[in-house]
Amino acid sequence: MSDLIDALIGIEPGSPLDALRAKRPVARSDAQATYDALITAPADPVRASAIERAAIAYWVAALSRADTLTAHYRTLLAGLDADVASALDTALPEAITTGPYGTYPPGPLSVEDQAGLHFTASEALHEAIGARLAAALEHAHLLTYRPRDASPDALQALLDAGWTTDGVVTVSQLVAFTHFQHRVVAGLAAVQEAI
């Protein structure tokens, strides 16, 4: 069985890496099923449109510097809405940073507190993609670079921008799943180089 991860890495059927992945068939099928449910399944425009889903995945992959995954989601988004893809291309150089940043509650972990970029979508980005998607990109940036700063106020910002409660869950799932894909692709690519 082949899946998107195989395609991104270039895993050939019958190869040693294919045999390795075949030892975990449920992990392989569940990763593809999650991709299908979050990205390719018919989108509920109230919860998250197809464009919003592709845009969030592209944004998170690009913020993570996951080149192969970024290219996949960029192509997907451009096929749905080239103007949104272009708007994100323009915004990304100002959004990409390092991390993690954020502040822990007072205590022993406070020694790890580090200030960093708080991304706010520009007026031009708001005009190009709308307040709802702009808020989702700000939230994705928060979860990517400053997860320890996640708060009820951050979730409220999504609701204020027009996301439903189910939509907020979908945004968070997209961010988490794209990070998962990045880790799996990077890990398997490293194994592929070693074997």
Side-chain angles (χ1 to χ4, degrees):
M1 177 181 110
S2 186
D3 64 354
L4 174 65
I5 290 170
D6 286 349
L8 292 173
I9 299 169
I11 298 174
E12 297 293 330
S15 69
L17 199 51
D18 179 52
L20 181 66
R21 288 201 78 206
K23 292 181 180 183
R24 301 282 311 273
V26 175
R28 192 181 225 174
S29 65
D30 283 358
Q32 185 62 38
T34 303
Y35 174 81
D36 292 340
L38 283 173
I39 302 296
T40 64
D44 173 354
V46 173
R47 178 177 264 185
S49 71
I51 293 167
E52 289 168 332
R53 291 171 187 224
I56 293 165
Y58 169 48
W59 183 257
V60 172
L63 293 178
S64 302
R65 297 182 180 99
D67 297 340
T68 305
L69 200 56
T70 298
H72 169 75
Y73 282 123
R74 171 66 171 78
T75 300
L76 180 64
L77 177 58
L80 295 169
D81 192 319
D83 292 338
V84 171
S86 179
L88 269 59
D89 292 343
T90 301
L92 275 164
E94 297 296 321
I96 294 174
T97 184
T98 58
Y101 300 120
T103 306
Y104 286 107
L109 293 177
S110 295
V111 297
E112 296 182 19
D113 290 356
Q114 186 174 357
L117 175 66
H118 287 242
F119 175 77
T120 302
S122 68
E123 185 176 327
L125 185 58
H126 270 272
E127 289 176 11
I129 66 173
R132 183 173 135 124
L133 183 52
L137 299 184
E138 290 173 353
H139 191 72
H141 194 277
L142 168 77
L143 295 179
T144 299
Y145 291 121
R146 298 183 358 264
R148 64 186 89 155
D149 290 343
S151 68
D153 289 342
L155 297 175
Q156 186 62 49
L158 289 171
L159 295 171
D160 292 345
W163 289 93
T164 64
T165 303
D166 286 345
V168 170
V169 171
T170 299
V171 170
S172 298
Q173 288 174 324
L174 284 162
V175 173
F177 181 67
T178 307
H179 284 296
F180 162 79
Q181 285 181 305
H182 170 47
R183 290 190 302 275
V184 171
V185 168
L188 288 172
V191 171
Q192 187 176 47
E193 287 180 16
I195 58 175

